[in-house]
Amino acid sequence: NGVRYAKATRVVVDLVRGEDALMLSVRDDGIGIPEGALRNRLSHGILGMRQRVRALKGEFAIHGTPGKGTVVDVQVPTPAVAPEIPREAAEA
C-alpha cells in the first residue's frame, strides 16, 4: 500500500517483541492519508487492519500528514508461554 497508493519512495518496518507484546511500526514517506480517510467507513483497508488487530486484542493507531507520509502502529499481546522444562527434569 505504501508504494502503490501512498507513492512512497521509502517504507520502514520495525517489529519488536517485548515481554508481553509484539509491536509493529510501519512508516512511509508518501503522500499521507487523504483528509477524512480515517473517518471514512468505506475505507476498507484501514477498517480491515483495525478489525484484524482488535480480533487479536491489540491496539491499532494510524497517523498521517498530507505530503509527509503515514505511520501505522500496532501492538498485539503475546500469549503467556510455559517455561521450558529441562529434559533431565522431564524424564525424572
Side-chain angles (χ1 to χ4, degrees), residues 46-64:
I46 294 171
L47 179 63
M49 288 188 285
R50 190 180 314 275
Q51 288 175 336
R52 288 189 292 274
V53 171
R54 283 187 182 158
L56 296 170
K57 304 203 182 336
E59 297 176 24
F60 173 86
I62 185 166
H63 315 279

Side-chain angles (χ1 to χ4, degrees), residues 9-24:
T9 59
R10 180 180 166 109
V11 177
V12 177
V13 178
D14 291 311
L15 179 63
V16 177
R17 181 176 178 158
E19 283 189 36
D20 57 357
L22 285 173
M23 284 82 63
L24 171 69

